[in-house]
Amino acid sequence: MNVKEVFAQAIYKQTEISLEQIYRLIEVPKHPSLGDLAFPCFLLAKTWKKSPASIAEQIAQSITEDCFSKVEANGPYVNGFIHRESFTISVLNQILYERENYGTLSDGAGKTIVIDFSSPNIAKPFSMGHLRSTVIGNALSNIAQKCGYNAVKINHLGDWGTQFGKLMAAFKHWGDEDKVRKQPIAELFTLYTKFHEEAEIHPQLIDEGRQWFKKLEDGDSEAVYLWKWFREESLKEFSKIYQLLNISFDSFAGEAFYNDKMGETIEKLQGQNLLEVSDGAEVVDLTDVSLPPCLIKKSDGATLYATRDLTAALYRQEHYQFSKALYVVGHEQSVHFQQVFAVLEKMGYPWAKSMIHVPFGLYLQNGKKMSTRKGRVILLENVLQETIRLAEQNIEQKNPTLENKKEVAKQVGVGAVIFHDLKNYRMNNIEFSLEQMLTFEGETGPYVQYTFARACSILQKGNWNINSNFSLKKLATNDVVNDDSWELIKLLFSFSNQVQQAFIQLDPSIIAKYTVDVAKCFNKYYSKVKILTNNNGLQERLALVYAVTVVLKNGLQLIGVDAPKSM
């Protein structure tokens, strides 16, 4: 039980409010002189028929738990001061013992969560627009695993649909096989862009694209050959990106995987009398839940995204028995997922309530949305290669004798791109800026990485050896319990709560911002305390520094960023 829970329990004994409500009401005072925890008594005034200040006085006098050095009333607040030395020893020993397991929770023990993320369209370049789903989904997978879940990472590739008919039509009109073989993605992207430009002048091209897709669905040999070729070349290109980002998946089952499974889904809908005919198309009416009808089959017999997503959900539940399913897809698809989840509920599946759409904002270029169709994109591989190059340049200038320069440059360059995305609340739009990504100041990946490397350097200079099973019994000096270190200790202690909140809110920015807070707090402590110059209390100070490295590394790993020991 942590000290906040102890504080809540002590107050609970004196009141009629639920323990959960008390826990939610407990605050952290804005100034350390007011204590470490505070409970406002306004809510009790009506039932106790006393002023909040007198209630606070009464409750404060009744709390005698050992983990508090004192509990006092301050106006309408009950303020608790945690016993610094015993708490510090407890937190540091826990981190020293648990190390990479520090902050791990058991909330999801025995449960499976499936996370659908990244999901690029084949035959299109992997742009900055795809980055958000990829890194948010990967971070949520890591956070879910830290919470005890078995996380199944699914890359639901966009490898089916009318866009392939358009691409085939474009290839037949203007394609050059040799050019495509030399630069598959770049050339296919050029053809796709040209198709849309020409279609504005010659609208009949749209019908031609539809016809090619229908051929594909019907198993036409030429259409299938082109589709397989486009798909294989795309996957080769995508694998380069995923290797750079150090992201892996448990499944690459894309839209095409469900082609032979959709018939069963449609039969189930028919069997439950959920399908209606509307303008020749088959739909599920959703007016009772204030949603537009969910299109299952077009008038020409072609299936739609909803048909595949319904089928995918049924398949995933059957194969993974998930307790929760996340779809990390842009906010513009919100209505689509509301429809899919509503149809599954109408089909009588209780697990449909455990399916969650995790939307996010856009990457903007000069304030405008990036568009593959209009050719307005920034290629992610180019960005990653450029940030790696700039990081390598920076290392050459500042630390030319560094070992493994290329590997560290990759960790810093790629980490900068990931961190720049994840430090933002996922619903916010992000303006693309290479300069902001790579700065070593402020809320950036390189700043946190550099702080970690600095802490590692201190440990090396102090000959810190964690393998000695060092354990704190008491503190030799007050260096580890002064005001600056105390704020750091409380931050380190809150790691598991940050993990839990990031999962509850499905927001990796909580972890990214937390690592920045820890880095700032440590740098403040480092600037004021001479860690290595005094042997008295040296091991305690090094233990604190080591605890910082554990938490920073764990936090960065959760969001998919490496922590180099030297930079």
Side-chain angles (χ1 to χ4, degrees), residues 3-282:
V3 283
K4 186 175 176 182
E5 288 170 346
V6 172
F7 194 52
Q9 286 277 9
I11 294 165
Y12 176 65
K13 291 174 188 174
Q14 313 299 318
T15 69
E16 66 281 358
I17 309 174
S18 73
L19 187 60
E20 185 183 347
Q21 193 174 13
I22 291 168
Y23 196 84
R24 278 203 312 270
L25 286 169
I26 292 172
E27 305 169 7
V28 174
K30 289 181 180 177
H31 198 277
S33 65
L34 296 173
D36 303 301
L37 299 167
F39 176 74
C41 297
F42 305 105
L43 197 66
L44 296 167
K46 189 174 180 181
T47 51
W48 285 39
K49 295 183 171 53
K50 289 183 181 180
S51 71
S54 59
I55 295 169
E57 193 71 47
Q58 184 177 331
I59 292 174
Q61 289 173 3
S62 69
I63 297 176
T64 57
E65 273 69 12
D66 291 341
C67 60
F68 295 101
S69 56
K70 67 175 177 177
V71 178
E72 63 182 22
N74 189 301
Y77 288 87
V78 179
N79 289 2
F81 294 76
I82 299 169
H83 193 284
R84 290 190 176 189
E85 182 167 351
S86 60
F87 183 75
T88 296
I89 290 170
S90 171
V91 171
L92 291 181
N93 279 339
Q94 186 182 357
I95 298 173
L96 289 170
Y97 176 72
E98 295 181 3
R99 303 179 202 178
E100 66 273 7
N101 293 320
Y102 182 65
T104 300
L105 302 167
S106 58
D107 304 26
K111 298 174 185 175
T112 294
I113 182 169
V114 297
I115 305 178
D116 180 328
F117 67 100
S118 194
S119 310
N121 289 325
I122 67 167
K124 289 185 185 177
F126 206 116
S127 73
M128 283 299 293
H130 297 100
L131 178 69
R132 301 225 67 194
S133 172
T134 305
V135 297
I136 292 170
N138 186 59
L140 289 176
S141 301
N142 294 338
I143 291 164
Q145 286 173 330
K146 192 74 171 171
C147 289
Y149 286 88
N150 169 39
V152 178
K153 300 187 283 186
I154 298 174
N155 195 335
H156 186 72
L157 290 169
D159 58 1
W160 203 253
T162 54
Q163 72 266 31
F164 296 103
K166 294 173 183 177
L167 191 57
M168 287 170 195
F171 180 76
K172 294 297 287 183
H173 277 289
W174 312 290
D176 181 322
E177 187 170 339
D178 289 337
K179 282 185 180 179
V180 173
R181 291 199 180 278
K182 283 176 187 171
Q183 286 188 301
I185 297 297
E187 190 59 28
L188 291 172
F189 178 43
T190 300
L191 289 171
Y192 187 76
T193 306
K194 184 176 175 67
F195 178 89
H196 285 281
E197 289 170 353
E198 292 290 329
E200 289 182 10
I201 305 164
H202 308 289
Q204 67 270 22
L205 279 171
I206 300 295
D207 289 330
E208 204 177 311
R210 287 198 190 105
Q211 288 162 12
W212 269 104
F213 178 57
K214 189 68 172 65
K215 281 184 180 184
L216 179 60
E217 284 205 307
D218 293 340
D220 175 85
S221 59
E222 185 180 11
V224 170
Y225 168 77
L226 289 172
W227 173 76
K228 282 183 176 177
W229 178 34
F230 297 161
R231 188 180 192 276
E232 285 165 10
E233 294 297 341
S234 298
L235 284 174
K236 286 178 194 172
E237 293 296 307
F238 294 161
S239 67
K240 294 178 191 174
I241 304 289
Y242 293 130
Q243 281 175 5
L244 273 175
L245 293 170
N246 197 24
I247 291 175
S248 61
F249 294 90
D250 300 299
S251 167
F252 279 91
E255 293 178 41
F257 177 78
Y258 299 100
N259 279 349
D260 61 351
K261 301 169 181 63
M262 287 184 289
E264 190 178 342
T265 303
I266 293 168
E267 283 176 17
K268 285 179 180 177
L269 290 165
Q270 287 170 335
Q272 293 180 303
N273 297 316
L274 289 172
L275 287 182
E276 297 180 5
V277 177
S278 174
D279 295 327
E282 294 186 58

Side-chain angles (χ1 to χ4, degrees), residues 406-424:
K406 287 194 177 295
E407 180 60 25
V408 173
K410 180 188 167 189
Q411 292 174 326
V412 174
V414 173
V417 175
I418 295 172
F419 199 96
H420 180 71
D421 187 302
L422 295 181
K423 73 178 182 182
N424 293 280

Side-chain angles (χ1 to χ4, degrees), residues 55 147 159 230 276 287 311 410 441 463 471 496 536 544:
I55 295 169
C147 289
D159 58 1
F230 297 161
E276 297 180 5
T287 51
T311 307
K410 180 188 167 189
E441 297 173 3
N463 295 314
S471 178
S496 61
N536 190 22
L544 176 57

